[in-house]
Amino acid sequence: MVILDSRQVAVVDQTIREVCAHRTWRLWALNVRTTHVHVVVTADLSIEQTMNSFKAWCTRRLTGAQCHPLGRAWSRHGSTRYLWSDASLQGAVAYTLHGLGESIA
C-alpha cells in the first residue's frame, strides 16, 4: 500500500480540481486521504472512465512534480457508485466532506 505525504496529497487534490474545471465536470466534494481519495462528481463519462482519467492525470502530475510515490500509486479499480437521487448525492457529499475525520492537507 502506498501512503501519500502532504505534498502528494496537495498535488492530487489540485489535479482533480483542475481536471474537473477543464472538462466542465461538477465537483461536489473531494477529500484526498493518505491512502485513498473520495470524489463526488458529475461527469459526462462512465464512472470507470472518470476514475481512470483522474488516476492518469494525477500520476502525470505527481511524476512531473518529482514526488510520485514508490510503487503502484493506485489500486487496479476502486469503489464506485452511481448516485441516482438528491438524497444519495447529499449523503455522499456530507460523508466525503465531514464523515472521514481530519485530513492532513
Side-chain angles (χ1 to χ4, degrees):
M1 170 173 52
V2 171
I3 298 178
L4 301 177
D5 63 25
S6 60
R7 181 173 176 220
Q8 293 162 331
V9 166
V11 168
V12 170
D13 184 283
Q14 183 62 35
T15 301
I16 290 172
R17 292 177 191 282
E18 289 174 6
V19 169
C20 288
H22 175 74
R23 294 186 177 225
T24 62
W25 292 346
R26 173 71 191 264
L27 179 61
W28 296 94
L30 172 62
N31 194 323
V32 180
R33 314 298 291 178
T34 58
T35 59
H36 62 282
V37 178
H38 288 259
V39 182
V40 182
V41 63
T42 300
D44 57 355
L45 300 175
S46 71
I47 288 178
E48 292 77 16
Q49 291 172 309
T50 302
M51 181 175 50
N52 288 336
S53 181
F54 287 144
K55 288 178 179 182
W57 275 103
C58 289
T59 297
R60 285 192 287 274
R61 291 286 176 85
L62 286 165
T63 301
Q66 298 179 338
C67 65
H68 194 280
L70 297 175
R72 187 181 178 117
W74 315 113
S75 63
R76 184 168 179 205
H77 191 265
S79 175
T80 56
R81 287 191 301 158
Y82 284 97
L83 305 172
W84 297 109
S85 68
D86 286 340
S88 62
L89 173 62
Q90 291 171 8
V93 168
Y95 176 76
T96 299
L97 296 178
H98 309 294
L100 297 169
E102 291 296 314
S103 177
I104 67 164

